[in-house]
mmCIF file of all heavy atoms in Angstrom:
data_model
loop_
_atom_site.group_PDB
_atom_site.id
_atom_site.type_symbol
_atom_site.label_atom_id
_atom_site.label_comp_id
_atom_site.label_asym_id
_atom_site.label_seq_id
_atom_site.Cartn_x
_atom_site.Cartn_y
_atom_site.Cartn_z
ATOM 1 N N GLN A 99 -3.024 -17.386 -8.302
ATOM 2 C CA GLN A 99 -4.364 -16.961 -8.741
ATOM 3 C C GLN A 99 -4.376 -16.949 -10.275
ATOM 4 O O GLN A 99 -3.326 -16.868 -10.898
ATOM 5 C CB GLN A 99 -4.682 -15.548 -8.219
ATOM 6 C CG GLN A 99 -4.890 -15.479 -6.710
ATOM 7 C CD GLN A 99 -5.608 -14.193 -6.287
ATOM 8 O OE1 GLN A 99 -6.193 -13.481 -7.102
ATOM 9 N NE2 GLN A 99 -5.551 -13.894 -4.997
ATOM 10 N N PRO A 100 -5.571 -17.008 -10.876
ATOM 11 C CA PRO A 100 -5.625 -16.899 -12.329
ATOM 12 C C PRO A 100 -5.179 -15.513 -12.791
ATOM 13 O O PRO A 100 -5.342 -14.541 -12.052
ATOM 14 C CB PRO A 100 -7.106 -17.131 -12.657
ATOM 15 C CG PRO A 100 -7.847 -17.080 -11.383
ATOM 16 C CD PRO A 100 -6.875 -17.231 -10.259
ATOM 17 N N VAL A 101 -4.613 -15.435 -13.998
ATOM 18 C CA VAL A 101 -4.176 -14.142 -14.531
ATOM 19 C C VAL A 101 -5.422 -13.355 -14.958
ATOM 20 O O VAL A 101 -6.176 -13.801 -15.823
ATOM 21 C CB VAL A 101 -3.251 -14.326 -15.758
ATOM 22 C CG1 VAL A 101 -2.781 -12.971 -16.275
ATOM 23 C CG2 VAL A 101 -2.056 -15.201 -15.408
ATOM 24 N N PRO A 102 -5.678 -12.192 -14.352
ATOM 25 C CA PRO A 102 -6.872 -11.421 -14.757
ATOM 26 C C PRO A 102 -6.638 -10.735 -16.088
ATOM 27 O O PRO A 102 -5.508 -10.402 -16.447
ATOM 28 C CB PRO A 102 -6.998 -10.395 -13.626
ATOM 29 C CG PRO A 102 -5.608 -10.223 -13.103
ATOM 30 C CD PRO A 102 -4.893 -11.536 -13.307
ATOM 31 N N GLU A 103 -7.727 -10.532 -16.824
ATOM 32 C CA GLU A 103 -7.650 -9.796 -18.095
ATOM 33 C C GLU A 103 -7.721 -8.302 -17.785
ATOM 34 O O GLU A 103 -8.719 -7.833 -17.236
ATOM 35 C CB GLU A 103 -8.847 -10.207 -18.980
ATOM 36 C CG GLU A 103 -8.830 -9.636 -20.377
ATOM 37 C CD GLU A 103 -7.720 -10.247 -21.242
ATOM 38 O OE1 GLU A 103 -7.375 -11.432 -21.014
ATOM 39 O OE2 GLU A 103 -7.214 -9.535 -22.123
ATOM 40 N N PRO A 104 -6.663 -7.535 -18.076
ATOM 41 C CA PRO A 104 -6.738 -6.097 -17.812
ATOM 42 C C PRO A 104 -7.864 -5.454 -18.611
ATOM 43 O O PRO A 104 -8.147 -5.868 -19.738
ATOM 44 C CB PRO A 104 -5.373 -5.576 -18.271
ATOM 45 C CG PRO A 104 -4.474 -6.769 -18.247
ATOM 46 C CD PRO A 104 -5.344 -7.930 -18.603
ATOM 47 N N ARG A 105 -8.519 -4.455 -17.997
ATOM 48 C CA ARG A 105 -9.550 -3.731 -18.753
ATOM 49 C C ARG A 105 -9.202 -2.243 -18.760
ATOM 50 O O ARG A 105 -8.595 -1.723 -17.830
ATOM 51 C CB ARG A 105 -10.940 -3.967 -18.174
ATOM 52 C CG ARG A 105 -11.107 -3.548 -16.733
ATOM 53 C CD ARG A 105 -12.542 -3.795 -16.266
ATOM 54 N NE ARG A 105 -12.708 -3.403 -14.868
ATOM 55 C CZ ARG A 105 -12.837 -2.151 -14.457
ATOM 56 N NH1 ARG A 105 -12.828 -1.153 -15.328
ATOM 57 N NH2 ARG A 105 -12.984 -1.879 -13.158
ATOM 58 N N LEU A 106 -9.607 -1.579 -19.843
ATOM 59 C CA LEU A 106 -9.283 -0.174 -20.035
ATOM 60 C C LEU A 106 -10.408 0.680 -19.436
ATOM 61 O O LEU A 106 -11.596 0.382 -19.639
ATOM 62 C CB LEU A 106 -9.164 0.108 -21.541
ATOM 63 C CG LEU A 106 -8.725 1.496 -21.979
ATOM 64 C CD1 LEU A 106 -7.315 1.806 -21.514
ATOM 65 C CD2 LEU A 106 -8.813 1.607 -23.508
ATOM 66 N N THR A 107 -10.032 1.740 -18.714
ATOM 67 C CA THR A 107 -11.052 2.667 -18.217
ATOM 68 C C THR A 107 -11.732 3.333 -19.422
ATOM 69 O O THR A 107 -11.145 3.426 -20.503
ATOM 70 C CB THR A 107 -10.438 3.756 -17.317
ATOM 71 O OG1 THR A 107 -9.439 4.471 -18.054
ATOM 72 C CG2 THR A 107 -9.796 3.156 -16.082
ATOM 73 N N GLY A 108 -12.950 3.807 -19.225
ATOM 74 C CA GLY A 108 -13.719 4.403 -20.315
ATOM 75 C C GLY A 108 -13.151 5.739 -20.767
ATOM 76 O O GLY A 108 -12.293 6.328 -20.106
ATOM 77 N N PRO A 109 -13.641 6.234 -21.912
ATOM 78 C CA PRO A 109 -13.219 7.552 -22.397
ATOM 79 C C PRO A 109 -13.812 8.668 -21.541
ATOM 80 O O PRO A 109 -14.771 8.443 -20.795
ATOM 81 C CB PRO A 109 -13.779 7.594 -23.822
ATOM 82 C CG PRO A 109 -14.946 6.672 -23.790
ATOM 83 C CD PRO A 109 -14.609 5.588 -22.793
ATOM 84 N N GLU A 110 -13.267 9.855 -21.677
ATOM 85 C CA GLU A 110 -13.682 11.000 -20.846
ATOM 86 C C GLU A 110 -15.178 11.264 -20.947
ATOM 87 O O GLU A 110 -15.828 11.608 -19.955
ATOM 88 C CB GLU A 110 -12.860 12.234 -21.247
ATOM 89 C CG GLU A 110 -13.048 13.449 -20.356
ATOM 90 C CD GLU A 110 -14.196 14.343 -20.813
ATOM 91 O OE1 GLU A 110 -14.461 14.396 -22.034
ATOM 92 O OE2 GLU A 110 -14.816 14.986 -19.947
ATOM 93 N N ALA A 111 -15.746 11.089 -22.141
ATOM 94 C CA ALA A 111 -17.173 11.357 -22.333
ATOM 95 C C ALA A 111 -18.020 10.482 -21.406
ATOM 96 O O ALA A 111 -19.135 10.854 -21.028
ATOM 97 C CB ALA A 111 -17.555 11.090 -23.794
#
Side-chain angles (χ1 to χ4, degrees):
Chain A
Q99 291 197 15
V101 181
E103 186 70 31
R105 60 178 179 77
L106 185 64
T107 58
E110 188 271 330

